[in-house]
Structure formats: C-alpha cells, structure tokens
Amino acid sequence: MYTVGTLSPFQSPMVKLQRLFENPGLEVFAKLDLLQLSGSTKERTANSLIEALLASGRLAPGGMIVESTSGNLGIALARQTAVRGIGFVAVVDEAANRSAIEVMGAYGASIDMVPTPPDGNRLAARRERVQRLLVENPGAVTTNQYGSPDNPDAHFTTTMPEIMDAVDGRLDMLFVATSTTGTLLGCQRYLRQHHKQTKLVAVDALGSVLFGGEPGLRRFPGLGAGIIPELALQADPDVVCRIKEIDMVRGCRKLAKREGILAGASTGAIVAAMEQLLPGLEMGSRIGFLVHDSGVPYLHTVYNDDWVRENLEAEAEADSGTTTRMQDTSPR
C-alpha cells in the first residue's frame, strides 16, 4: 500500500490497499483513523462536541463532562478533557473493553461502571445513569453523542473532505461502521450536499436495532446499538450490511495479515461487508472505508483463538464465506 493525498495537522492518511482482495480490477482505499491521537475516529467527534459546548457557554472552563461510552469516544474525551483541564466521568458497562477503560483512567477520567440490566439493554442503562449523574452534579454537562448535531458535523467538515480530496473526488462506494450513526450521517450530508454519486454503505452488527434490525446479543462494543439514537432517525444509507461477529473476527485478521493493519472489530465488519458486495461491483470500481480504530484493545478477544472458540463457537481462521445480511435502501 502507499499513501495518497496530502496531509494536514489533523488529517489521517488515506492509503491504497493492494493485497486485501484478489481483484485487480478494483481500487480499495482505507482512511487510517486508527492513527488519530486517541486511537480512533472518535478523536474528531470528541473535539467537535467539546468545542461546541465551550463556545456555547454550557461548559465552563474547568467544568465537568459526563458521557456514556463503549470505549473509543471515552478515550478521546478523556484525552481532550485532560489537556483542557476539564473533569470527565465515563459511564461504561460490563461489555466495555478493559483496555479502553484502563486508558481512560490513565488520562485521569473517573469511571462509572453500570451493571447489565435484566433486559440486556446496556446502552439504555448507561444513558439513564448519565442523566442521574447530571442531576447529582450541578453544572456538569453531557456531550450527548447520540443526538448532538456536532457529532456528524465533525465528519461533514473533516472526514469526508479529506477522503474526497485523497481520491480526487472519485469514489463509487464508501463503507462506514455505525453506532451513534454520527460518522455515517456526517458522510451522508457531505455526499448529498455536494451531489456525489458515491453509494454509502452502513455496516452494522447482527443483533443491532439500527435500520430496522432485530435485537440480539452483541459482544463487541462500538458497533450497532440496542436503542435507536436520535441521530439515526436522519440517517438514510444506500445499503445496510449486518455482520455476524465471527465474520468481524475474520475480517480483522485478513486485514492484519494481508495489509499489516491491526484494526478493531468494526473495521473487521467492514472488510466482511466489502467482501460480500465485491461480486456485484463493476470493473474499475473505487471503494473506500474508514479504519475506525486500532486492534490493540482487541488482542484478547478478536485476535485470541481461545476466546473466539469459547465465545463464538467457531474457528477464527475457517475459510468460509461471510454471512452478511444486506438491506438495499436505494434507489433515490
């Protein structure tokens, strides 16, 4: 792979992949947001959310932020509140990645662990805890990553312009993992306001309720949702792909072994989704995707054979086809 496009202080590299798929008629570009300072694309989101709160006066210098997080946004908020001298309480649940929690703590964040409720809806439980903490701590604010327009604005103003600049404005399909749907929505707004013909593919987890999905067990944080976030009501991707967890694992490992990119579960889901859609693409197609975060926090799960066998009851290296479920929401 080689770097394409120009870099700015806030910009992550865009690289062209050569070995991921055995298809010489296809161009594949990866946006390496795992190289952001906090290790994920949520660095952009956290910056946008905090700057908006400070500019509006809702967050006073030296104040406190309380936010529900499954990991990546919490790490980004912890880093950025640390350098701004702002207090931060990360409300997490029992499925949160232990490494992510440790990183937040290393930055000085306070960790509030919410037990899994009887109905299994951890996201709803976290959001309820955030509201209680706001009442208990007058003057504290939440970034509201699930509903704030400053979440998608981060990707409308930075992520998408960087991607399109790197590929000279020519991209047939863009794959984005979904959770709050902030990244997806920012990309969607950019593509449509600039009248781009790029098809937008939302990559979701099997078991997520986004885009009409059926609720189910999800072991990996940061992909999918147990409730419909406010931002998701505005999201209208062209295609929705739902990925089983074993296929996320296989996608991660393929990306690591063929391209030397160690990514998290959501990016593995994107690799699985791309592989499923490849047969329907025309020769010469150009596709892009976000590498949302690093695979380091997943070394004991995604990249651990024993964990995969015990929890997913499958072999990580099995050479079977992916089991993506697709929902085409076009034409427009």
Side-chain angles (χ1 to χ4, degrees), residues 282-311:
E282 296 180 359
M283 288 288 292
S285 291
R286 310 178 101 215
I287 64 176
F289 69 101
L290 272 169
V291 180
H292 288 262
D293 65 350
S294 167
V296 172
Y298 297 85
L299 290 176
H300 299 295
T301 54
V302 167
Y303 297 97
N304 184 287
D305 289 342
D306 291 336
W307 186 94
V308 172
R309 292 190 195 101
E310 180 179 347
N311 291 274

PDB file of all heavy atoms in Angstrom, residues 282-311:
ATOM      1  N   GLU A 282     -18.657  -3.292 -10.570  1.00  0.00           N
ATOM      2  CA  GLU A 282     -18.138  -3.247 -11.921  1.00  0.00           C
ATOM      3  C   GLU A 282     -16.615  -3.138 -11.913  1.00  0.00           C
ATOM      4  O   GLU A 282     -16.015  -2.641 -10.964  1.00  0.00           O
ATOM      5  CB  GLU A 282     -18.727  -2.045 -12.662  1.00  0.00           C
ATOM      6  CG  GLU A 282     -20.235  -2.105 -12.853  1.00  0.00           C
ATOM      7  CD  GLU A 282     -20.762  -0.891 -13.592  1.00  0.00           C
ATOM      8  OE1 GLU A 282     -19.950   0.000 -13.937  1.00  0.00           O
ATOM      9  OE2 GLU A 282     -21.980  -0.838 -13.816  1.00  0.00           O
ATOM     10  N   MET A 283     -15.999  -3.614 -12.991  1.00  0.00           N
ATOM     11  CA  MET A 283     -14.549  -3.475 -13.136  1.00  0.00           C
ATOM     12  C   MET A 283     -14.174  -2.001 -13.059  1.00  0.00           C
ATOM     13  O   MET A 283     -14.859  -1.139 -13.616  1.00  0.00           O
ATOM     14  CB  MET A 283     -14.098  -4.050 -14.477  1.00  0.00           C
ATOM     15  CG  MET A 283     -14.149  -5.571 -14.534  1.00  0.00           C
ATOM     16  SD  MET A 283     -12.834  -6.334 -13.542  1.00  0.00           S
ATOM     17  CE  MET A 283     -11.398  -5.866 -14.494  1.00  0.00           C
ATOM     18  N   GLY A 284     -13.094  -1.728 -12.363  1.00  0.00           N
ATOM     19  CA  GLY A 284     -12.634  -0.354 -12.231  1.00  0.00           C
ATOM     20  C   GLY A 284     -13.279   0.416 -11.101  1.00  0.00           C
ATOM     21  O   GLY A 284     -12.990   1.605 -10.926  1.00  0.00           O
ATOM     22  N   SER A 285     -14.139  -0.237 -10.324  1.00  0.00           N
ATOM     23  CA  SER A 285     -14.802   0.444  -9.215  1.00  0.00           C
ATOM     24  C   SER A 285     -13.780   0.891  -8.173  1.00  0.00           C
ATOM     25  O   SER A 285     -12.773   0.216  -7.926  1.00  0.00           O
ATOM     26  CB  SER A 285     -15.832  -0.467  -8.562  1.00  0.00           C
ATOM     27  OG  SER A 285     -16.927  -0.696  -9.416  1.00  0.00           O
ATOM     28  N   ARG A 286     -14.080   2.023  -7.544  1.00  0.00           N
ATOM     29  CA  ARG A 286     -13.225   2.558  -6.484  1.00  0.00           C
ATOM     30  C   ARG A 286     -14.048   2.577  -5.205  1.00  0.00           C
ATOM     31  O   ARG A 286     -15.102   3.200  -5.149  1.00  0.00           O
ATOM     32  CB  ARG A 286     -12.749   3.971  -6.812  1.00  0.00           C
ATOM     33  CG  ARG A 286     -12.166   4.132  -8.186  1.00  0.00           C
ATOM     34  CD  ARG A 286     -11.758   5.575  -8.443  1.00  0.00           C
ATOM     35  NE  ARG A 286     -10.323   5.739  -8.290  1.00  0.00           N
ATOM     36  CZ  ARG A 286      -9.742   6.820  -7.795  1.00  0.00           C
ATOM     37  NH1 ARG A 286     -10.466   7.832  -7.360  1.00  0.00           N
ATOM     38  NH2 ARG A 286      -8.424   6.901  -7.713  1.00  0.00           N
ATOM     39  N   ILE A 287     -13.584   1.854  -4.175  1.00  0.00           N
ATOM     40  CA  ILE A 287     -14.310   1.806  -2.910  1.00  0.00           C
ATOM     41  C   ILE A 287     -13.396   2.278  -1.781  1.00  0.00           C
ATOM     42  O   ILE A 287     -12.178   2.121  -1.829  1.00  0.00           O
ATOM     43  CB  ILE A 287     -14.865   0.404  -2.601  1.00  0.00           C
ATOM     44  CG1 ILE A 287     -13.734  -0.612  -2.404  1.00  0.00           C
ATOM     45  CG2 ILE A 287     -15.794  -0.063  -3.714  1.00  0.00           C
ATOM     46  CD1 ILE A 287     -14.245  -1.991  -1.992  1.00  0.00           C
ATOM     47  N   GLY A 288     -14.005   2.885  -0.780  1.00  0.00           N
ATOM     48  CA  GLY A 288     -13.253   3.378   0.357  1.00  0.00           C
ATOM     49  C   GLY A 288     -13.916   2.972   1.662  1.00  0.00           C
ATOM     50  O   GLY A 288     -15.107   2.659   1.698  1.00  0.00           O
ATOM     51  N   PHE A 289     -13.122   2.976   2.721  1.00  0.00           N
ATOM     52  CA  PHE A 289     -13.680   2.658   4.030  1.00  0.00           C
ATOM     53  C   PHE A 289     -12.848   3.304   5.122  1.00  0.00           C
ATOM     54  O   PHE A 289     -11.682   3.670   4.927  1.00  0.00           O
ATOM     55  CB  PHE A 289     -13.771   1.146   4.249  1.00  0.00           C
ATOM     56  CG  PHE A 289     -12.444   0.419   4.392  1.00  0.00           C
ATOM     57  CD1 PHE A 289     -11.963   0.060   5.643  1.00  0.00           C
ATOM     58  CD2 PHE A 289     -11.708   0.070   3.272  1.00  0.00           C
ATOM     59  CE1 PHE A 289     -10.768  -0.629   5.778  1.00  0.00           C
ATOM     60  CE2 PHE A 289     -10.504  -0.621   3.387  1.00  0.00           C
ATOM     61  CZ  PHE A 289     -10.034  -0.972   4.648  1.00  0.00           C
ATOM     62  N   LEU A 290     -13.478   3.462   6.268  1.00  0.00           N
ATOM     63  CA  LEU A 290     -12.809   4.001   7.446  1.00  0.00           C
ATOM     64  C   LEU A 290     -12.242   2.868   8.290  1.00  0.00           C
ATOM     65  O   LEU A 290     -12.949   1.902   8.600  1.00  0.00           O
ATOM     66  CB  LEU A 290     -13.792   4.799   8.293  1.00  0.00           C
ATOM     67  CG  LEU A 290     -13.976   6.274   7.958  1.00  0.00           C
ATOM     68  CD1 LEU A 290     -15.171   6.827   8.709  1.00  0.00           C
ATOM     69  CD2 LEU A 290     -12.731   7.064   8.309  1.00  0.00           C
ATOM     70  N   VAL A 291     -10.978   2.988   8.660  1.00  0.00           N
ATOM     71  CA  VAL A 291     -10.417   2.116   9.700  1.00  0.00           C
ATOM     72  C   VAL A 291     -10.676   2.865  11.002  1.00  0.00           C
ATOM     73  O   VAL A 291      -9.934   3.764  11.381  1.00  0.00           O
ATOM     74  CB  VAL A 291      -8.921   1.866   9.476  1.00  0.00           C
ATOM     75  CG1 VAL A 291      -8.354   0.967  10.575  1.00  0.00           C
ATOM     76  CG2 VAL A 291      -8.688   1.231   8.100  1.00  0.00           C
ATOM     77  N   HIS A 292     -11.770   2.503  11.672  1.00  0.00           N
ATOM     78  CA  HIS A 292     -12.296   3.326  12.754  1.00  0.00           C
ATOM     79  C   HIS A 292     -11.397   3.358  13.987  1.00  0.00           C
ATOM     80  O   HIS A 292     -11.323   4.371  14.669  1.00  0.00           O
ATOM     81  CB  HIS A 292     -13.690   2.832  13.161  1.00  0.00           C
ATOM     82  CG  HIS A 292     -14.751   3.149  12.158  1.00  0.00           C
ATOM     83  ND1 HIS A 292     -15.580   4.239  12.287  1.00  0.00           N
ATOM     84  CD2 HIS A 292     -15.115   2.539  11.013  1.00  0.00           C
ATOM     85  CE1 HIS A 292     -16.426   4.277  11.266  1.00  0.00           C
ATOM     86  NE2 HIS A 292     -16.157   3.259  10.476  1.00  0.00           N
ATOM     87  N   ASP A 293     -10.748   2.221  14.299  1.00  0.00           N
ATOM     88  CA  ASP A 293      -9.918   2.213  15.499  1.00  0.00           C
ATOM     89  C   ASP A 293      -8.875   1.115  15.422  1.00  0.00           C
ATOM     90  O   ASP A 293      -8.869   0.288  14.505  1.00  0.00           O
ATOM     91  CB  ASP A 293     -10.761   2.088  16.774  1.00  0.00           C
ATOM     92  CG  ASP A 293     -11.501   0.763  16.877  1.00  0.00           C
ATOM     93  OD1 ASP A 293     -11.519   0.004  15.886  1.00  0.00           O
ATOM     94  OD2 ASP A 293     -12.091   0.483  17.941  1.00  0.00           O
ATOM     95  N   SER A 294      -7.995   1.111  16.413  1.00  0.00           N
ATOM     96  CA  SER A 294      -6.896   0.147  16.475  1.00  0.00           C
ATOM     97  C   SER A 294      -7.376  -1.197  17.011  1.00  0.00           C
ATOM     98  O   SER A 294      -8.323  -1.284  17.790  1.00  0.00           O
ATOM     99  CB  SER A 294      -5.791   0.698  17.384  1.00  0.00           C
ATOM    100  OG  SER A 294      -4.852  -0.302  17.703  1.00  0.00           O
ATOM    101  N   GLY A 295      -6.668  -2.250  16.612  1.00  0.00           N
ATOM    102  CA  GLY A 295      -6.988  -3.581  17.102  1.00  0.00           C
ATOM    103  C   GLY A 295      -6.311  -3.928  18.411  1.00  0.00           C
ATOM    104  O   GLY A 295      -6.594  -4.982  18.987  1.00  0.00           O
ATOM    105  N   VAL A 296      -5.440  -3.049  18.915  1.00  0.00           N
ATOM    106  CA  VAL A 296      -4.704  -3.376  20.148  1.00  0.00           C
ATOM    107  C   VAL A 296      -5.649  -3.710  21.316  1.00  0.00           C
ATOM    108  O   VAL A 296      -5.424  -4.700  22.031  1.00  0.00           O
ATOM    109  CB  VAL A 296      -3.735  -2.236  20.519  1.00  0.00           C
ATOM    110  CG1 VAL A 296      -3.108  -2.479  21.886  1.00  0.00           C
ATOM    111  CG2 VAL A 296      -2.641  -2.114  19.459  1.00  0.00           C
ATOM    112  N   PRO A 297      -6.715  -2.923  21.561  1.00  0.00           N
ATOM    113  CA  PRO A 297      -7.617  -3.290  22.662  1.00  0.00           C
ATOM    114  C   PRO A 297      -8.361  -4.615  22.444  1.00  0.00           C
ATOM    115  O   PRO A 297      -9.004  -5.112  23.368  1.00  0.00           O
ATOM    116  CB  PRO A 297      -8.616  -2.115  22.704  1.00  0.00           C
ATOM    117  CG  PRO A 297      -7.903  -0.979  22.051  1.00  0.00           C
ATOM    118  CD  PRO A 297      -7.096  -1.618  20.975  1.00  0.00           C
ATOM    119  N   TYR A 298      -8.273  -5.177  21.240  1.00  0.00           N
ATOM    120  CA  TYR A 298      -8.988  -6.412  20.922  1.00  0.00           C
ATOM    121  C   TYR A 298      -8.072  -7.633  20.873  1.00  0.00           C
ATOM    122  O   TYR A 298      -8.469  -8.697  20.417  1.00  0.00           O
ATOM    123  CB  TYR A 298      -9.688  -6.269  19.559  1.00  0.00           C
ATOM    124  CG  TYR A 298     -10.741  -5.191  19.513  1.00  0.00           C
ATOM    125  CD1 TYR A 298     -10.399  -3.868  19.248  1.00  0.00           C
ATOM    126  CD2 TYR A 298     -12.084  -5.486  19.729  1.00  0.00           C
ATOM    127  CE1 TYR A 298     -11.351  -2.866  19.205  1.00  0.00           C
ATOM    128  CE2 TYR A 298     -13.049  -4.494  19.688  1.00  0.00           C
ATOM    129  CZ  TYR A 298     -12.681  -3.189  19.421  1.00  0.00           C
ATOM    130  OH  TYR A 298     -13.636  -2.210  19.374  1.00  0.00           O
ATOM    131  N   LEU A 299      -6.834  -7.485  21.347  1.00  0.00           N
ATOM    132  CA  LEU A 299      -5.889  -8.599  21.283  1.00  0.00           C
ATOM    133  C   LEU A 299      -6.368  -9.811  22.066  1.00  0.00           C
ATOM    134  O   LEU A 299      -6.080 -10.955  21.703  1.00  0.00           O
ATOM    135  CB  LEU A 299      -4.516  -8.147  21.804  1.00  0.00           C
ATOM    136  CG  LEU A 299      -3.758  -7.157  20.911  1.00  0.00           C
ATOM    137  CD1 LEU A 299      -2.464  -6.726  21.575  1.00  0.00           C
ATOM    138  CD2 LEU A 299      -3.486  -7.767  19.544  1.00  0.00           C
ATOM    139  N   HIS A 300      -7.128  -9.566  23.148  1.00  0.00           N
ATOM    140  CA  HIS A 300      -7.575 -10.684  23.981  1.00  0.00           C
ATOM    141  C   HIS A 300      -8.943 -11.213  23.564  1.00  0.00           C
ATOM    142  O   HIS A 300      -9.464 -12.138  24.196  1.00  0.00           O
ATOM    143  CB  HIS A 300      -7.602 -10.246  25.452  1.00  0.00           C
ATOM    144  CG  HIS A 300      -6.258  -9.835  25.972  1.00  0.00           C
ATOM    145  ND1 HIS A 300      -5.203 -10.719  26.087  1.00  0.00           N
ATOM    146  CD2 HIS A 300      -5.777  -8.625  26.365  1.00  0.00           C
ATOM    147  CE1 HIS A 300      -4.147 -10.081  26.552  1.00  0.00           C
ATOM    148  NE2 HIS A 300      -4.463  -8.810  26.717  1.00  0.00           N
ATOM    149  N   THR A 301      -9.518 -10.650  22.515  1.00  0.00           N
ATOM    150  CA  THR A 301     -10.822 -11.131  22.031  1.00  0.00           C
ATOM    151  C   THR A 301     -10.724 -11.484  20.549  1.00  0.00           C
ATOM    152  O   THR A 301     -10.571 -12.650  20.189  1.00  0.00           O
ATOM    153  CB  THR A 301     -11.917 -10.069  22.265  1.00  0.00           C
ATOM    154  OG1 THR A 301     -11.512  -8.815  21.687  1.00  0.00           O
ATOM    155  CG2 THR A 301     -12.163  -9.871  23.750  1.00  0.00           C
ATOM    156  N   VAL A 302     -10.793 -10.494  19.687  1.00  0.00           N
ATOM    157  CA  VAL A 302     -10.779 -10.717  18.238  1.00  0.00           C
ATOM    158  C   VAL A 302      -9.573 -11.524  17.792  1.00  0.00           C
ATOM    159  O   VAL A 302      -9.690 -12.413  16.935  1.00  0.00           O
ATOM    160  CB  VAL A 302     -10.808  -9.362  17.501  1.00  0.00           C
ATOM    161  CG1 VAL A 302     -10.486  -9.527  16.020  1.00  0.00           C
ATOM    162  CG2 VAL A 302     -12.164  -8.695  17.673  1.00  0.00           C
ATOM    163  N   TYR A 303      -8.418 -11.235  18.378  1.00  0.00           N
ATOM    164  CA  TYR A 303      -7.179 -11.860  17.920  1.00  0.00           C
ATOM    165  C   TYR A 303      -6.734 -13.025  18.801  1.00  0.00           C
ATOM    166  O   TYR A 303      -5.601 -13.506  18.664  1.00  0.00           O
ATOM    167  CB  TYR A 303      -6.075 -10.803  17.843  1.00  0.00           C
ATOM    168  CG  TYR A 303      -6.379  -9.719  16.834  1.00  0.00           C
ATOM    169  CD1 TYR A 303      -6.948  -8.505  17.237  1.00  0.00           C
ATOM    170  CD2 TYR A 303      -6.131  -9.905  15.481  1.00  0.00           C
ATOM    171  CE1 TYR A 303      -7.239  -7.511  16.307  1.00  0.00           C
ATOM    172  CE2 TYR A 303      -6.428  -8.924  14.548  1.00  0.00           C
ATOM    173  CZ  TYR A 303      -6.985  -7.722  14.966  1.00  0.00           C
ATOM    174  OH  TYR A 303      -7.280  -6.739  14.049  1.00  0.00           O
ATOM    175  N   ASN A 304      -7.608 -13.497  19.673  1.00  0.00           N
ATOM    176  CA  ASN A 304      -7.279 -14.604  20.567  1.00  0.00           C
ATOM    177  C   ASN A 304      -8.090 -15.837  20.174  1.00  0.00           C
ATOM    178  O   ASN A 304      -9.313 -15.854  20.298  1.00  0.00           O
ATOM    179  CB  ASN A 304      -7.578 -14.207  22.018  1.00  0.00           C
ATOM    180  CG  ASN A 304      -7.180 -15.271  23.016  1.00  0.00           C
ATOM    181  OD1 ASN A 304      -7.837 -16.299  23.122  1.00  0.00           O
ATOM    182  ND2 ASN A 304      -6.119 -15.025  23.760  1.00  0.00           N
ATOM    183  N   ASP A 305      -7.412 -16.879  19.697  1.00  0.00           N
ATOM    184  CA  ASP A 305      -8.113 -18.071  19.205  1.00  0.00           C
ATOM    185  C   ASP A 305      -8.965 -18.732  20.274  1.00  0.00           C
ATOM    186  O   ASP A 305     -10.092 -19.185  19.998  1.00  0.00           O
ATOM    187  CB  ASP A 305      -7.106 -19.091  18.666  1.00  0.00           C
ATOM    188  CG  ASP A 305      -6.463 -18.648  17.367  1.00  0.00           C
ATOM    189  OD1 ASP A 305      -7.026 -17.755  16.717  1.00  0.00           O
ATOM    190  OD2 ASP A 305      -5.400 -19.201  17.012  1.00  0.00           O
ATOM    191  N   ASP A 306      -8.454 -18.813  21.496  1.00  0.00           N
ATOM    192  CA  ASP A 306      -9.203 -19.463  22.575  1.00  0.00           C
ATOM    193  C   ASP A 306     -10.483 -18.687  22.889  1.00  0.00           C
ATOM    194  O   ASP A 306     -11.546 -19.285  23.097  1.00  0.00           O
ATOM    195  CB  ASP A 306      -8.336 -19.587  23.833  1.00  0.00           C
ATOM    196  CG  ASP A 306      -7.195 -20.573  23.651  1.00  0.00           C
ATOM    197  OD1 ASP A 306      -7.314 -21.465  22.786  1.00  0.00           O
ATOM    198  OD2 ASP A 306      -6.185 -20.445  24.365  1.00  0.00           O
ATOM    199  N   TRP A 307     -10.388 -17.357  22.933  1.00  0.00           N
ATOM    200  CA  TRP A 307     -11.589 -16.542  23.202  1.00  0.00           C
ATOM    201  C   TRP A 307     -12.627 -16.738  22.102  1.00  0.00           C
ATOM    202  O   TRP A 307     -13.821 -16.870  22.386  1.00  0.00           O
ATOM    203  CB  TRP A 307     -11.211 -15.070  23.302  1.00  0.00           C
ATOM    204  CG  TRP A 307     -12.364 -14.187  23.709  1.00  0.00           C
ATOM    205  CD1 TRP A 307     -12.678 -13.782  24.976  1.00  0.00           C
ATOM    206  CD2 TRP A 307     -13.367 -13.622  22.852  1.00  0.00           C
ATOM    207  NE1 TRP A 307     -13.815 -13.012  24.963  1.00  0.00           N
ATOM    208  CE2 TRP A 307     -14.266 -12.890  23.675  1.00  0.00           C
ATOM    209  CE3 TRP A 307     -13.606 -13.658  21.481  1.00  0.00           C
ATOM    210  CZ2 TRP A 307     -15.370 -12.222  23.161  1.00  0.00           C
ATOM    211  CZ3 TRP A 307     -14.708 -12.983  20.968  1.00  0.00           C
ATOM    212  CH2 TRP A 307     -15.579 -12.272  21.800  1.00  0.00           C
ATOM    213  N   VAL A 308     -12.174 -16.765  20.879  1.00  0.00           N
ATOM    214  CA  VAL A 308     -13.101 -16.925  19.752  1.00  0.00           C
ATOM    215  C   VAL A 308     -13.805 -18.264  19.831  1.00  0.00           C
ATOM    216  O   VAL A 308     -15.031 -18.364  19.667  1.00  0.00           O
ATOM    217  CB  VAL A 308     -12.353 -16.764  18.413  1.00  0.00           C
ATOM    218  CG1 VAL A 308     -13.264 -17.131  17.240  1.00  0.00           C
ATOM    219  CG2 VAL A 308     -11.830 -15.335  18.254  1.00  0.00           C
ATOM    220  N   ARG A 309     -13.064 -19.337  20.102  1.00  0.00           N
ATOM    221  CA  ARG A 309     -13.687 -20.663  20.201  1.00  0.00           C
ATOM    222  C   ARG A 309     -14.699 -20.716  21.343  1.00  0.00           C
ATOM    223  O   ARG A 309     -15.791 -21.259  21.192  1.00  0.00           O
ATOM    224  CB  ARG A 309     -12.613 -21.732  20.424  1.00  0.00           C
ATOM    225  CG  ARG A 309     -11.693 -21.964  19.252  1.00  0.00           C
ATOM    226  CD  ARG A 309     -10.819 -23.183  19.465  1.00  0.00           C
ATOM    227  NE  ARG A 309      -9.719 -23.209  18.517  1.00  0.00           N
ATOM    228  CZ  ARG A 309      -8.481 -22.847  18.793  1.00  0.00           C
ATOM    229  NH1 ARG A 309      -8.164 -22.439  20.028  1.00  0.00           N
ATOM    230  NH2 ARG A 309      -7.541 -22.892  17.872  1.00  0.00           N
ATOM    231  N   GLU A 310     -14.324 -20.149  22.485  1.00  0.00           N
ATOM    232  CA  GLU A 310     -15.184 -20.236  23.664  1.00  0.00           C
ATOM    233  C   GLU A 310     -16.433 -19.372  23.524  1.00  0.00           C
ATOM    234  O   GLU A 310     -17.531 -19.781  23.922  1.00  0.00           O
ATOM    235  CB  GLU A 310     -14.395 -19.800  24.900  1.00  0.00           C
ATOM    236  CG  GLU A 310     -15.205 -19.852  26.192  1.00  0.00           C
ATOM    237  CD  GLU A 310     -14.402 -19.437  27.402  1.00  0.00           C
ATOM    238  OE1 GLU A 310     -13.161 -19.350  27.299  1.00  0.00           O
ATOM    239  OE2 GLU A 310     -15.009 -19.179  28.464  1.00  0.00           O
ATOM    240  N   ASN A 311     -16.298 -18.183  22.956  1.00  0.00           N
ATOM    241  CA  ASN A 311     -17.409 -17.238  22.927  1.00  0.00           C
ATOM    242  C   ASN A 311     -18.206 -17.247  21.634  1.00  0.00           C
ATOM    243  O   ASN A 311     -19.417 -17.004  21.646  1.00  0.00           O
ATOM    244  CB  ASN A 311     -16.891 -15.822  23.187  1.00  0.00           C
ATOM    245  CG  ASN A 311     -16.412 -15.626  24.602  1.00  0.00           C
ATOM    246  OD1 ASN A 311     -17.194 -15.312  25.498  1.00  0.00           O
ATOM    247  ND2 ASN A 311     -15.116 -15.818  24.832  1.00  0.00           N
TER     248      ASN A 311
END
